[in-house]
Amino acid sequence: MTEPLLVVRELDKNFGGVQAVKGLSLEIAAGEIVGLIGPNGSGKSTSVNLISGTMRATRGQILLGGRDISTATIGQRVALGLARTFQTTSLFPEFSLLDQVLLGAHTRFDTKAAQAIFRTKSYRQEDAAQRERAADLLEFMGLLSVAHAPASAISSAQQRLLMVATALATEPRVLLLDEPAAGMVAKERAELSEIILRIRDRGVAVLVIEHHMGLIMEVCQRIAVLNFGQKIADGTPSQVRADPAVIDAYLGTEH
Ligand SMILES: Nc1ncnc2c1ncn2[C@@H]1O[C@H](COP(=O)(O)OP(=O)(O)OP(=O)(O)O)[C@@H](O)[C@H]1O
Ligand SMILES: [Mg+2]
């Protein structure tokens, strides 16, 4: 395996008496898609919150490209190439899709307010370049035809894709997806699988949380399984599917 881009070492997160994450270690390389699965409440979203900086870990270390980001702010992590989507849709309903994606781009290419107000030449050039990139991203996600619609007017599946597009606008090296296929029908899930594979092909490391095993088995090279905050397995899809501890804790017979 190439040098891992994201390294998580012995992460703990306690909420009062609840140990949501216990001793989680995980590595993801550039161009790798890793699945994070487990029962409801097993600590998947908390893990993503810790890695993205939404929450601070009680203990442990997070390295991005060899750099310790354990105490970095969300903004610093985004600037270093870490982006995520949320389990619940988080969009500005009145914004057009294009403006929503531009918002993601702005977190990366910050232009000084004064330049924006006086519309200097460099601002106009940067603005035009960002609009073109945002449109390219919407095209990549199959959303270009609705680029000027308000985010509230598109389907929930399209809103999920828009969250991914906004995250991609920050030009991440590592992308964390928390249940990106929630509420999607089979055809939409298949499209999402394609998109995740194409994101990987761009050299991005992807961590995907998902309950839908079809999607996970199809796109992931490796799958980590959480149960009660602890990693109980980490292997290829076929290894994980055949693991008695995973079957017992999560897969059961219905998956
Ligand atoms: N902000 C919080 N305050 C207190 N407890 C929390 C908080 N966030 C999560 N928890 C608890 O931590 C545990 C792990 O929750 P988490 O949301 O990470 O699970 P999950 O694996 O993402 O579950 P799901 O599949 O339902 O999304 C749960 O017991 C949950 O109640
Ligand atoms: Mg969750």
Side-chain angles (χ1 to χ4, degrees), residues 194-241:
E194 275 300 311
I195 287 167
I196 294 173
L197 292 170
R198 282 194 279 135
I199 293 171
R200 186 270 317 272
D201 292 343
R202 291 177 160 199
V204 177
V206 183
L207 181 72
V208 55
I209 296 177
E210 191 47 63
H211 282 291
H212 197 275
M213 291 313 295
L215 186 145
I216 284 286
M217 294 290 169
E218 199 177 299
V219 303
C220 297
Q221 274 103 57
R222 204 150 53 72
I223 300 171
V225 188
L226 293 185
N227 194 32
F228 295 109
Q230 274 180 309
K231 192 166 86 171
I232 59 167
D234 192 336
T236 64
S238 49
Q239 283 168 342
V240 162
R241 194 165 27 200

Side-chain angles (χ1 to χ4, degrees), residues 6 15 32 35 86 143-144 174 186 228 247:
L6 180 73
F15 294 113
E32 192 180 27
F86 288 87
L143 294 171
L144 192 58
V174 178
F228 295 109
I247 293 167

Side-chain angles (χ1 to χ4, degrees), residues 6-228:
L6 180 73
V7 177
V8 168
R9 285 193 195 132
E10 296 286 320
L11 274 195
D12 282 354
K13 181 64 181 176
N14 303 337
F15 294 113
V18 178
Q19 264 198 289
V21 175
K22 294 179 217 172
L24 176 68
S25 295
L26 197 66
E27 294 188 352
I28 310 179
E32 192 180 27
I33 306 174
V34 175
L36 186 63
I37 66 171
N40 292 118
S42 56
K44 304 181 297 296
S45 292
T46 304
S47 300
V48 163
N49 288 336
L50 297 177
I51 297 168
S52 64
T54 315
M55 285 174 181
R56 188 64 59 85
T58 311
R59 192 178 69 90
Q61 206 181 23
I62 304 159
L63 303 170
L64 180 64
R67 181 168 171 166
D68 192 332
I69 57 160
S70 310
T71 58
T73 63
I74 297 175
Q76 288 166 336
R77 293 182 205 207
V78 170
L80 288 168
L82 193 61
R84 58 92 52 96
T85 64
F86 288 87
Q87 186 167 350
T88 48
T89 316
S90 61
L91 297 166
F92 293 97
E94 305 308 324
F95 274 43
S96 74
L97 273 67
L98 197 64
D99 286 338
Q100 177 79 40
V101 175
L102 279 168
L103 207 61
H106 277 300
T107 65
R108 187 76 171 182
F109 302 98
D110 196 21
T111 304
K112 291 190 180 65
Q115 283 198 335
I117 291 163
F118 299 117
R119 301 198 51 87
T120 61
K121 192 172 174 218
S122 76
Y123 171 81
R124 288 197 307 274
Q125 282 169 347
E126 192 187 316
D127 188 52
Q130 284 188 17
R131 285 183 171 274
E132 203 174 306
R133 283 184 53 254
D136 284 349
L137 268 176
L138 288 175
E139 187 173 20
F140 179 75
M141 304 301 291
L143 294 171
L144 192 58
S145 62
V146 281
H148 298 287
S152 57
I154 58 175
S155 72
S156 70
Q158 288 175 318
Q159 288 180 349
R160 293 210 163 259
L161 296 181
L162 178 57
M163 274 206 290
V164 178
T166 307
L168 284 177
T170 68
E171 299 195 348
R173 292 191 286 165
V174 178
L175 178 64
L176 313 170
L177 302 172
D178 194 350
E179 300 202 22
M184 287 188 178
V185 298
K187 182 173 173 289
E188 294 162 342
R189 273 199 305 271
E191 284 165 8
L192 177 67
S193 292
E194 275 300 311
I195 287 167
I196 294 173
L197 292 170
R198 282 194 279 135
I199 293 171
R200 186 270 317 272
D201 292 343
R202 291 177 160 199
V204 177
V206 183
L207 181 72
V208 55
I209 296 177
E210 191 47 63
H211 282 291
H212 197 275
M213 291 313 295
L215 186 145
I216 284 286
M217 294 290 169
E218 199 177 299
V219 303
C220 297
Q221 274 103 57
R222 204 150 53 72
I223 300 171
V225 188
L226 293 185
N227 194 32
F228 295 109

